Every structure is written in structure tokens, then in C-alpha cells.
Amino acid sequence: MTGLTVCRTRYMSTATKRRVVVTGFGLVTCLGVGVETVWNRLLQGRCGLRRVEGREYEQIPCQVVGRVPCGEAPDEFSRQRVLPSSGARGVTLATAFALAAAEEALTLARWKPQSETERERTGVCIGSGMVALEEIADAAEQLRKGRYRRLSPWFITEILLNNSAGHVSLAHGLRGPNHCVSTACTTGAHAVGDACRFIGHGDADVMVAGGAEACVTPLALAGFSRMRALSTSFNDRPEEASRPFDAQREGFVMSEGAGIVVLEELSHAQQRGATILGEVLGYGLSGDANHITAPSETGDGARRCMEAALRDGGVSVGDVGHVNAHATSTPRGDAAESQAIQKLLGPGTKVTSTKGALGHLQGAAGSVEAIITLKSCQTGLIPPTLNLLHPDTGCDLDYITVSPRRWQAGQKGRRVALTNSFGFGGTNASLCLAEWVS
């Protein structure tokens, strides 16, 4: 009887949990740098995927990637602009992306904590899906050649997955929870969801959260190619290579970048007069226990994950107006997720995948797509799924193609959406997001 009482108390406590809102976000992607830049280009139907160049890639079957454009223009990434001093030693490219996105997010949020209390109540939760493979390969090569003294003293810190979280914390003096998530392609969504729970449980009032990835390298591309996970038939037409849900889909396209959000406890945001960009209503997790790389054909893990997010947010199925799907452009994965969406939300559900334009950012995918979903909730526009000419999932869903689609507020007067992320190892996450209505 005591056990039942405890369970009931835990369930009821979700009704009084601290509400978490979004007050800032930042993006670094192959479509450009900056949320408004990326958002506008998505609505225009532009694609950031290009053919890779270099002799080191010649033997690899997949020749298409998503690289962040570098330069000095405002919509380009400049490492010098992010890290102007010699104190940048030990900062990987993924961490540099995270620092750029975090700066945009914190600036938009107008949150640069100065007092000891503000810094101690602001935390970081940023992860990556993969370590810096090229640094490991280069270090191993130096040792094989007997060149121990050429090994960088920063080598170990560079390959730690919490490199980004640590450097963002240092850059802004954030002394709250300093956490790192690494759950393959689910990393970004898990980071945002975990950060919400830190706020919900009172560990922090503000969290800087998301994912960063910079794995577009010969070694990583070769490894995924050997798995036969990547697209290989569109090397001469790179903008057509990533085609979620389409009959010609054959694998994903590797991409890089970062997506960072500033999450804040509602009353904290209101008291300081912050502009609220959206709300995180719920967070769901599940495991497939099916195969190390392949999802269950029925999409059972995905369905349970979405159910958990709705339950956590107290949201009914009828309130959800749109799903930003994980949909990486793999035959089995896209079909399984589509089945899960149809089983839970019903035929005709509006679905999109922005991976046709952005490729698959792996550890950063979930947070990047959460930001895009927040913009969709905020503006009432759903970006199109590129290269979706002939849906081939066996499901009767309303896939958004060709041009942006307008969608209306639900029964409770605001737009509510789900965004999904699934990763190798059978790990799943869903975030239930909504526009802010005061």
C-alpha cells in the first residue's frame, strides 16, 4: 500500500512542476549562422548540402555532406570572431560551434549573469554524439612514428565529450549544473529535456542547453559508409541526396553545426521582463531494445516516447498540430517513425523533416530541430520537406512538401508540436513544444 501511495504522489507532482520557457536560441548550420538566417532559408526551400572535396574523400562512396559556411559575413562562421584570443587552446570545432550558438542565444535572451547568485543559478547542458575522431587518429599516428613530444597537451580535453559544456560555462562564468549528454543522434533533444528537468527540480533557474557536432571528416564518413548508412546515389546532385520519406531515400547525409537554447523558469523570466519565445511542455524518453542501429519496424519505441512527452506535459493527442520528425532519410527509420506517428496521432497528422535541407547533424540534430519547431510554433509556418516527391512509408500522413504550410492554434488557443530524435543504441527522445501565450 505504501508503494502505491509513493507512485501516486510522484505522478501528481508533475501537475505542480516548475514551468520552463525558452528565452533565447542560436544556430550554426550548413544553411548559415543565426536563427533568422536559417529559418528564412528553410522557408525558401534552400538546401545546404554540397559535394565534398579533397583527395582523402575520393575512395569513400558517399560524397555529400553538410558543412558550415566559413567567412567573415554575418551569416558565416568565423572561428576568429568566436575565439579571438590565445586562450582558445583545446577548443574543438564542435565546441567553437557551440560557443557561437550560445552567444547568439544568450544575447537574444538578454541574459549575461553578473552576480554570484545569477551565475550559480545558471547552468549548462551541452553534448555531442561523437568524439573528435581526427584528433585521435592524428595523435595515434604521432605515437606510431615515435613523436611523443608532438602530442598536444590539450589532446585529452579535446576528445572529452563535455568539452563544449565546459568551455561555454567558462566563457560566461556559469556555475550552476555543468552537464553533458551523449546519446548518439538523440543527444541534442536529451540535453534540452534534461536541462528542463534540472530547472523543474529546482537545481537551476536558467540553463544553456543543446548539442554541437563537427564530425564531417574522412574517418567518420568512411565509417558510416562501411555501415551502408549514407546516401551514395546522388553524389552529382548533392542537394537531392537527403530525401526523408521519399521512395528513393537510401541513407542519411552527415552534417555539422550546433543548436543552443536558453531555458528559463517561467517566473524568473517574467520578473526580469524577458521576451518569451516558447514553452517546453513535456519531455519523453524510451528505449527500443531491438537492435544496435535499427529501430523496431513497428515504431514502438518512438510511439512510447511521444506518448511520454505528451503525458509529461499534460497534453492530449488532439492538441498536437504538427510533428518535426527525426526522419533521417533511411528506408526503415522513416517508415517506422511514420507508423508511430499515425498510431498515436492518427492519419492526416502534419509532418515535416528539415533534414532534406540541413542533413543529419547527429548530436546537434535534436536541439537544432527543437529550435526550428519553436519557430514554427511561434510563426504558424511549417517548413517543407525537401526532395519528398513520392512518399513511401505505407502511412496516410500529411507530409509538408514544396512550400511552407500555415497551421492554426489548437483547441486550447496555441500551437503545440512534437519534435523527435532517435539514436543508435535504441535511444529515443521527444519534446513537446508550444508557442507562448500569456
Side-chain angles (χ1 to χ4, degrees):
M1 189 69 178
T2 302
L4 289 174
T5 302
V6 170
C7 288
R8 188 176 296 119
T9 301
R10 285 178 181 170
Y11 179 77
M12 290 175 64
S13 67
T14 62
T16 58
K17 68 180 181 180
R18 302 196 330 156
R19 292 173 67 182
V20 179
V21 296
V22 180
T23 55
F25 37 45
L27 284 177
V28 175
T29 77
C30 63
L31 265 184
V33 174
V35 171
E36 292 307 313
T37 294
V38 176
W39 175 249
N40 288 332
R41 289 173 181 174
L42 282 172
L43 295 181
Q44 293 163 10
R46 294 172 62 176
C47 179
L49 306 182
R50 300 291 183 266
R51 182 160 186 157
V52 71
E53 297 179 357
R55 290 185 60 186
E56 64 272 30
Y57 293 100
E58 288 178 357
Q59 64 178 322
I60 302 173
C62 176
Q63 299 278 304
V64 182
V65 299
R67 277 236 169 93
V68 171
C70 294
E72 297 304 320
D75 62 346
E76 295 176 323
F77 173 77
S78 168
R79 189 181 179 99
Q80 183 64 26
R81 191 163 57 221
V82 176
L83 303 162
S85 71
S86 60
R89 291 177 298 180
V91 175
T92 64
L93 182 58
T95 293
F97 290 157
L99 285 164
E103 178 64 29
E104 181 187 5
L106 287 162
T107 299
L108 180 61
R110 293 184 290 112
W111 184 248
K112 298 293 181 71
Q114 301 297 320
S115 72
E116 290 301 305
T117 299
E118 288 175 343
R119 290 183 172 186
E120 290 174 4
R121 296 296 298 169
T122 304
V124 179
C125 183
I126 301 173
S128 294
M130 296 177 65
V131 297
L133 293 178
E134 294 301 318
E135 279 81 355
I136 296 173
D138 291 345
E141 185 65 17
Q142 295 297 341
L143 280 182
R144 288 192 191 100
K145 292 180 177 179
R147 299 171 179 171
Y148 161 76
R149 292 190 176 277
R150 292 194 181 183
L151 211 64
S152 168
W154 301 99
F155 167 64
I156 292 299
T157 57
E158 285 177 340
I159 64 171
L160 294 178
L161 286 163
N162 70 336
N163 190 280
S164 296
H167 278 286
V168 169
S169 172
L170 283 167
H172 299 280
L174 309 181
R175 300 175 183 170
N178 188 325
H179 188 57
C180 170
V181 178
S182 183
T183 47
C185 304
T186 316
T187 297
H190 274 150
V192 173
D194 289 355
C196 287
R197 292 195 171 174
F198 292 150
I199 295 173
H201 283 81
D203 297 311
D205 295 322
V206 183
M207 290 293 298
V208 181
E213 199 77 84
C215 57
V216 179
T217 63
L219 185 55
L221 200 64
F224 279 112
S225 290
R226 288 292 291 163
M227 290 179 66
R228 299 184 178 180
L230 304 181
S231 172
T232 59
S233 299
F234 296 89
N235 291 336
D236 294 328
R237 293 171 288 160
E239 294 185 350
E240 299 177 25
S242 182
R243 36 197 327 113
F245 307 116
D246 188 72
Q248 286 188 282
R249 69 188 185 277
E250 58 175 5
F252 67 85
V253 174
M254 293 178 63
S255 194
E256 63 184 9
I260 303 293
V261 296
V262 175
L263 304 169
E264 199 163 345
E265 192 272 325
L266 175 59
S267 64
H268 185 277
Q270 291 175 325
Q271 286 169 13
R272 70 180 188 88
T275 299
I276 297 175
L277 307 173
E279 183 172 3
V280 182
L281 300 181
Y283 170 43
L285 310 85
S286 73
D288 284 341
N290 178 72
H291 186 273
I292 199 65
T293 61
S296 164
E297 291 185 1
T298 64
D300 175 70
R303 177 187 56 77
R304 288 185 290 105
C305 185
M306 289 185 286
E307 280 183 339
L310 297 183
R311 185 168 58 249
D312 182 52
V315 176
S316 68
V317 167
D319 293 331
V320 179
H322 158 52
V323 178
N324 187 313
H326 179 64
T328 62
S329 188
T330 60
R332 184 167 176 172
D334 292 9
E337 184 177 10
S338 293
Q339 288 189 47
I341 293 170
Q342 181 160 299
K343 287 178 182 177
L344 179 63
L345 302 176
T349 300
K350 295 180 179 63
V351 178
T352 194
S353 170
T354 47
K355 288 187 175 73
L358 296 172
H360 188 8
L361 285 90
Q362 305 194 71
S367 53
V368 167
E369 289 160 13
I371 292 168
I372 292 166
T373 306
L374 285 164
K375 286 293 294 181
S376 192
C377 290
Q378 188 183 58
T379 63
L381 290 171
I382 304 173
T385 306
L386 298 193
N387 303 315
L388 177 49
L389 305 179
H390 304 287
D392 180 32
T393 62
C395 295
D396 184 18
L397 297 172
D398 184 6
Y399 298 110
I400 310 303
T401 64
V402 184
S403 60
R405 177 83 63 81
R406 290 199 172 275
W407 62 306
Q408 302 302 317
Q411 299 174 358
K412 295 184 179 179
R414 63 174 173 175
R415 286 179 286 268
V416 177
L418 285 169
T419 181
N420 295 330
S421 288
F422 314 128
F424 286 171
T427 179
N428 310 311
S430 291
L431 296 168
C432 184
L433 307 173
E435 70 172 313
W436 173 249
V437 177
S438 59

